[in-house]
Amino acid sequence: MNPELPEPAKAYGPAEVFDQNARRALVDPQLRSALRHLAVTFGQKRAQAISSVDDWEGLRERARAIKDQTLAQLDKYLEQFADNAARAGAQIHWAHDGHDVCRLIVQLLQERGATRVVKSKSMATEEIHLNAALEAAGIDTVETDLGEWIIQLARETPSHIVVPAIHKSKRQIAELFVAKLGIAPTDDVDKLTGAARRVLRQRFAEADAGISGVNFGVAETGSVLILENEGNIRLTTSLPKIHIALMGIEKVIPRLADLDVFLKLLPRSGTGQRLTAYQSVITGTRKSAADEGPEEVHIILMDNGRSRMLRNPVTRQSLACIRCGACLNACPVYQQIGGHAYGSVYPGPIGAVITPQLIGIGKASQLPYASSLCGACREVCPVKIDIPELLLHLRAQIAEGTALGQGQVEVPVKRKPLESFVFRLYAWAWSRPTLYEWGGRVLRLLQRPAVRDGRIGKIGGVMGKLMPPLGAWTAWRDARPLAPRSFRELWREGKVPPVSQPADSPRIATR
Amino acid sequence: MESFIKQGSDPKEHVTREPQTGHAAAQNNHARQAMLRSIREHLEASAPFDKVHAEGHAPQNSVRASGQITRTAVEAPAELFRQALEAVNGKCTIVTNETEAATSLRQAIELYQLKRIAVSDSPTIRHLLQQAGGNVTILEDAEAKTLFDCDAGVTGAQWGIAETGTLVLESKDERHRLVSLVPPVHIGIIPAGQIRRTMAEVLEAVSREGDLSRALTFITGPSRTSDIELTLAIGVHGPGKLHVIVIQEVEPTV
C-alpha cells in the first residue's frame, strides 16, 4: 500500500538468524514490559477460567483423544466433511500448498470482479502470505481484527497467535493512528478502538468478498466454526456476497457434539474466557434469495506440509494444535523475546516445532533449541501436545542429519556430528561403572583451573572455543563444579550417613 | 410458544451459483485425490511407530465425562443466565409476561435513546416492539446498507445457555443474522423455556431435526477486544450494548 514504509517485521530476520533476533529482542525494554504484562494477565485469567471446570484433566484427555482419532483416519473425515459441506451448498477446493491457495483465491476473486476484500484474522492466511499475493494482484485487502489491522497499518507481522499486536504500546498505536487516520492524539483505548470501528465499518459496507480462517470443521455436518470476540468475523462472513474460508486439513473434527469439548478448552486456554463473545457455525450457503448471508461460500482445504506430519506419531501431535496461544504465554523463552524473534508466523513453543516442519528444518534449525525444556508448554496445552518431546525429536533429527525438509527431500541441514559423537561416547562410558568413575576423576582434574570460589565462572579464551557449549553456558551464568569427593568414594569409605538417621540430614528426612 | 421460535423461511427458488465446470473441476478433483493419497501414504508409513508411541502415551482415563462446570445450579436457569451475562458486560431483564416485556423494551428505548430501530422478521418481536411504542422509527426488512444507520436491532433468540449467558440464533427460524450484528445496540428477547443449562444440550437440540441452520450464531455479551495493551474495550465491531429480555411466560401470538 505504502511502498516507502519498511518491510514487515522490520528489525527482525528469518528463523535462520534466531540467535541474532533474540539478542535484539532482549534489549527492547518496551517489548519486555509488554511481554511481562501478557504473561501475568493471561496467566491469571487462564487459571481463574479453568478453575470453573471440575475435571480439566479429563477434558484435555477427551480433546486429545478426539484429535488423535480424527488424525488417524484423516482421509475419511476430510472426505466426509467435504461431501457434507458441498451438499449444503459450499464449494470445496483442495490446495496442495500455499501457492495453490493464493492462486485459487486470486482467481476466484478476479473471475467475480471482486476488488475490495475484508479479512478476518487467520493464522493459515498468514502462513501462506496471502495478503502479499492479493496485493500483487491489485486486490484491496483490509484486515479487520483490531490487532491485525494495527500491524497491517504498521506493515509488520503478528507477534502472537491470539493478540497479534501485543508488541506495540498504546502510545505507538496512537501515533500510528494519528499518522495514518488523521485522528487527534489520544491515549484513550476506547477512542482508538472507536476510530478503528468508524474506518472499518465503511470497508465492511463496501466489501465484495470476505476471507476468514476456520477453527473447526465438523465432518458430520460440513459446518465450519469460527470463534471471535470483536464481531469482525461475523461481519466478514455475512455481509459480502462471497465468503472464502481457508481451512488447514487438521481442523476437522468428527461430530457437532465434539464442539462442546473444544469450546470449553479453547477460550479458557487462549484468553481466559469461559466463552468468546461470538461463535459462528456456518453450514453451506443460503438456501434461497430471501435468506441472509453470502451467495457463495468457498472452503479451501489446505495441506501445505500437514499430511507429511502424519508420518510419525511424534510429529503428528503438532496437528492436534488448536492455536490457543497458551504455550506462548507460559513459555519463559517467549516471555523474554516475544514472537518476532522466531522469524515465523508461528512463534513460541508450538512455533518452534511447527515452523521447522513447515519450512524445512534447514531453514529453522535453531528453533528446536529455543527452549529450556521446562515443560510449561506441555502443562498448559489444552490438547496435551508433548512439545518438549517434539523438540527433542527435532533436535535428534538435526544432530543425526536425518531431517526431512519440505516435500520429503533431504535438505542441507547443518549436521552436528561432534554433538552426536560426544553423546554416544557419553552414553557408552557412563554405562560402564569403571569408566564412569575414572571419567569423573579426570574431569575433576580438568576443571581445577576453572574453579574460583567454589564455582566455575565465565569460560573464555581457548577453553571456551574448544568447548563451545560450555563457553555459551558460562557466558551468562556460573556452572557448578564436580564435588571434590564422589558419592561412591564416600560410600566406600563409610562416610555416607544412613538415611534412617535423620539428625545429620534433616532435608532428606523431611521428604 | 411454537410461533415464537419457529418461523421457517418460505422455500423460494434457489440462488443461482456457478459450480465448477470442465477443466477447473477436473483439476480440483485431481488435487483432492492427490491430497487424500498423500494422507493415506503417510498414515500407512506411520503404522509401525504408532504402537510403540501409544505404549508411552496411553490416555490415563479417556472415558471420563468431559469437564462438567463445577457450580451447581440452585437458581432457575433464567437467573443463572442473567448472572452469567452480566458478568460479561451484558444487561438482562427477567419479566413475567409479554406486557411486561413491552414495558421493558420501552425502558430500553429510553435508556439508550433509540430513534431508528431495525427488527427481525419474527411477528412476535415485531408485535412487542409496536406495543412498546415510543417516538421511534421501526425498520422492517431493512437492507444491509440501511442497518448501518440504525441505533439498535431487536431480535428473538432460539436458545439460551444459562452457564455462559449465551444467546443462540438459528437462521432457519428467523432473519436476524444482520439485525443482531450491525447496529450498535442489540436487544434480544427469549422465552425462559428456551434456556438450557449447557452448551452440550443446545448443540444436541439444534441438530435434533437433522437440518442444521445455515448460520448458527452464539452470542455471549457485547463485542469486545483486548488488542491494545490487553485493555478491555467494548463494542469494537459488533454491538457495544447487548440487552436481553427473558420472558417467563409466553402467550400465544396475536
Side-chain angles (χ1 to χ4, degrees):
Chain A
M1 282 184 291
N2 293 310
E4 82 277 7
L5 283 158
E7 281 306 296
K10 15 195 164 182
Y12 295 91
E16 279 160 300
V17 291
F18 171 80
D19 51 351
Q20 293 165 30
N21 289 344
R23 253 177 237 125
R24 184 162 293 144
L26 286 172
V27 295
D28 180 346
Q30 197 282 113
L31 176 69
R32 303 287 297 274
S33 127
L35 292 168
R36 253 192 312 277
H37 184 41
L38 171 87
V40 172
T41 308
F42 274 3
Q44 284 171 352
K45 287 178 85 179
R46 176 186 169 277
Q48 208 172 7
I50 68 175
S51 69
S52 66
V53 179
D54 67 357
D55 186 15
W56 183 251
E57 276 311 297
L59 199 60
R60 290 170 78 208
E61 273 166 22
R62 180 97 193 88
R64 180 57 186 278
I66 294 169
K67 278 285 185 184
D68 280 351
Q69 283 160 14
T70 318
L71 291 171
Q73 303 175 72
L74 188 58
D75 53 333
K76 182 187 110 180
Y77 287 113
L78 205 55
E79 280 202 287
Q80 196 191 348
F81 170 80
D83 293 345
N84 284 329
R87 207 165 292 137
Q91 297 182 43
I92 309 295
H93 309 267
W94 302 73
H96 172 67
D97 58 16
H99 181 75
D100 281 357
V101 176
C102 292
R103 185 180 46 77
L104 265 166
I105 292 180
V106 168
Q107 198 184 331
L108 272 173
L109 295 171
Q110 284 177 342
E111 278 172 8
R112 285 153 183 80
T115 55
R116 289 162 302 184
V117 169
V118 282
K119 233 176 124 258
S120 60
K121 194 165 91 65
S122 150
M123 291 311 292
T125 63
E126 294 283 349
E127 175 186 324
I128 60 167
H129 307 294
L130 177 64
N131 286 4
L134 293 173
E135 213 174 302
I139 294 163
D140 183 6
T141 312
V142 63
E143 291 284 353
T144 58
D145 172 85
L146 179 59
E148 284 282 341
W149 188 57
I150 290 168
I151 60 168
Q152 188 189 28
L153 284 178
R155 307 282 287 161
E156 291 178 11
T157 53
S159 70
H160 191 285
I161 296 176
V162 176
V163 275
I166 187 65
H167 59 284
K168 291 195 101 61
S169 71
K170 181 167 70 180
R171 203 180 138 169
Q172 290 171 322
I173 294 165
E175 281 166 5
L176 183 70
F177 279 17
V178 170
K180 299 277 177 158
L181 313 177
I183 64 162
T186 176
D187 63 351
D188 184 345
V189 170
D190 283 322
K191 280 192 182 141
L192 293 171
T193 308
R197 178 182 171 101
R198 275 195 304 282
V199 174
L200 290 174
R201 294 233 115 191
Q202 193 59 33
R203 304 302 296 262
F204 279 121
E206 294 167 352
D208 302 313
I211 299 176
S212 78
V214 170
N215 289 106
F216 301 98
V218 182
E220 73 172 354
T221 58
S223 316
V224 296
L225 169 73
I226 322 175
L227 290 91
E228 59 163 332
N229 274 309
E230 297 185 0
N232 64 312
I233 295 183
R234 287 178 69 198
L235 288 163
T236 300
T237 57
S238 51
L239 270 178
K241 284 185 176 168
I242 305 159
H243 170 208
I244 302 172
L246 178 60
M247 171 173 157
I249 55 174
E250 83 282 17
K251 297 285 177 192
V252 73
I253 56 169
R255 295 157 299 262
L256 193 74
D258 296 329
L259 287 178
D260 180 46
V261 176
F262 293 103
L263 288 178
K264 282 200 181 86
L265 287 167
L266 181 51
R268 285 179 169 85
S269 302
T271 49
Q273 291 174 284
R274 289 177 163 215
L275 201 55
T276 58
Y278 306 119
Q279 292 81 39
S280 302
V281 182
I282 298 164
T283 311
T285 185
R286 64 191 199 180
K287 281 181 181 164
S288 76
D291 284 348
E292 293 180 286
E295 289 168 20
E296 291 178 33
V297 173
H298 298 266
I299 301 172
I300 300 177
L301 296 169
M302 175 175 80
D303 186 333
N304 204 32
R306 286 162 173 75
S307 62
R308 197 171 56 228
M309 297 183 202
L310 293 166
R311 200 172 183 85
N312 183 304
V314 179
T315 56
R316 192 189 300 164
Q317 296 184 80
S318 339
L319 296 175
C321 174
I322 55 175
R323 309 276 189 267
C324 69
C327 62
L328 278 59
N329 307 337
C331 177
V333 176
Y334 182 92
Q335 283 171 12
Q336 299 305 320
I337 60 171
H340 284 153
Y342 290 82
S344 151
V345 285
Y346 298 113
I350 193 65
V353 303
I354 291 181
T355 307
Q357 298 185 72
L358 285 180
I359 67 172
I361 213 159
K363 287 185 190 158
S365 59
Q366 290 186 39
L367 294 189
Y369 295 88
S371 165
S372 63
L373 301 177
C374 72
C377 48
R378 181 177 47 204
E379 285 295 303
V380 297
C381 178
V383 287
K384 298 190 94 162
I385 300 175
D386 194 340
I387 295 177
E389 181 192 34
L390 262 156
L391 290 167
L392 286 173
H393 178 86
L394 293 171
R395 288 183 189 185
Q397 287 192 335
I398 293 167
E400 305 283 344
T402 55
L404 292 177
Q406 247 178 328
Q408 265 205 287
V409 181
E410 291 260 2
V411 289
V413 175
K414 203 178 147 199
R415 297 180 191 190
K416 300 192 169 177
L418 183 65
E419 183 180 321
S420 181
F421 172 74
V422 167
F423 275 95
R424 272 175 215 281
L425 184 69
Y426 172 83
W428 180 78
W430 259 223
S431 52
R432 283 161 180 76
T434 320
L435 277 177
Y436 173 79
E437 190 145 358
W438 279 100
R441 284 182 194 169
V442 171
L443 287 176
R444 284 208 299 265
L445 270 178
L446 285 178
Q447 75 179 1
R448 205 169 280 174
V451 180
R452 299 261 181 288
D453 303 326
R455 58 193 66 196
I456 300 176
K458 189 167 181 166
I459 297 179
V462 186
M463 283 293 275
K465 288 216 173 63
L466 273 178
M467 292 183 288
L470 213 55
W473 177 265
T474 54
W476 303 101
R477 30 177 142 46
D478 294 338
R480 281 242 163 243
L482 295 172
R485 312 281 293 152
S486 80
F487 178 83
R488 293 156 64 100
E489 285 164 343
L490 293 172
W491 181 265
R492 269 199 301 269
E493 291 159 18
K495 288 180 183 163
V496 177
V499 184
S500 54
Q501 284 181 5
D504 290 333
S505 49
R507 267 176 304 169
I508 295 172
T510 55
R511 295 296 295 200
Chain B
M1 181 72 194
E2 188 65 7
S3 65
F4 199 103
I5 51 165
K6 293 285 165 204
Q7 280 121 24
S9 54
D10 5 342
K12 284 180 188 148
E13 87 284 20
H14 262 54
V15 185
T16 44
R17 289 184 218 103
E18 306 160 42
Q20 287 178 328
T21 47
H23 181 64
Q27 211 175 20
N28 195 30
N29 192 44
H30 178 76
R32 170 182 179 139
Q33 296 313 328
M35 196 192 292
L36 292 169
R37 197 164 49 239
S38 171
I39 292 170
R40 284 172 195 139
E41 273 172 21
H42 287 295
L43 278 174
E44 213 161 289
S46 82
F49 304 106
D50 271 347
K51 214 172 144 248
V52 183
H53 189 73
E55 280 164 14
H57 288 79
Q60 285 144 3
N61 190 353
S62 58
V63 286
R64 236 185 299 179
S66 58
Q68 297 301 311
I69 305 292
T70 310
R71 191 176 51 186
T72 42
V74 278
E75 288 104 329
E79 183 52 30
L80 272 179
F81 179 92
R82 189 184 64 77
Q83 288 170 11
L85 179 57
E86 288 182 347
V88 289
N89 315 78
K91 283 201 91 175
C92 182
T93 319
I94 301 173
V95 298
T96 53
N97 54 38
E98 289 194 8
T99 317
E100 276 188 36
T103 313
S104 177
L105 205 46
R106 171 68 179 261
Q107 285 163 351
I109 288 169
E110 281 160 13
L111 175 68
Y112 303 120
Q113 300 177 332
L114 307 177
K115 294 276 173 265
R116 283 164 64 82
I117 304 178
V119 64
S120 76
D121 67 348
S122 157
T124 318
I125 303 298
R126 287 182 175 182
H127 177 70
L128 278 176
L129 194 56
Q130 266 144 24
Q131 265 190 299
N135 184 22
V136 293
T137 313
I138 297 172
L139 291 102
E140 299 185 350
D141 307 311
E143 292 278 312
K145 294 240 157 21
T146 324
L147 290 174
F148 280 93
D149 302 321
C150 288
D151 302 327
V154 182
T155 75
Q158 280 57 54
W159 305 96
I161 303 173
E163 244 170 31
T164 46
T166 304
L167 286 181
V168 184
L169 274 50
E170 284 200 79
S171 66
K172 68 177 176 191
D173 295 324
E174 192 177 334
R175 244 180 98 91
H176 45 18
R177 192 165 169 177
L178 294 175
V179 175
S180 66
L181 171 63
V182 179
V185 176
H186 174 209
I187 301 174
I189 301 171
I190 183 170
Q194 291 306 110
I195 298 177
R196 298 287 174 272
R197 228 173 72 78
T198 63
M199 168 72 74
E201 287 170 71
V202 168
L203 286 174
E204 209 243 302
V206 295
S207 51
R208 196 174 294 147
E209 293 156 40
D211 179 27
L212 209 58
S213 277
R214 290 317 188 213
L216 188 62
T217 311
F218 296 77
I219 299 171
T220 311
S223 153
R224 56 180 60 227
T225 185
S226 300
D227 274 348
I228 301 176
E229 287 191 355
L230 301 182
T231 309
L232 177 67
I234 297 285
V236 52
H237 291 302
K241 301 231 160 36
L242 173 67
H243 193 129
V244 176
I245 300 171
V246 180
I247 310 178
Q248 301 278 22
E249 300 159 18
V250 178
E251 296 139 23
T253 315
V254 188

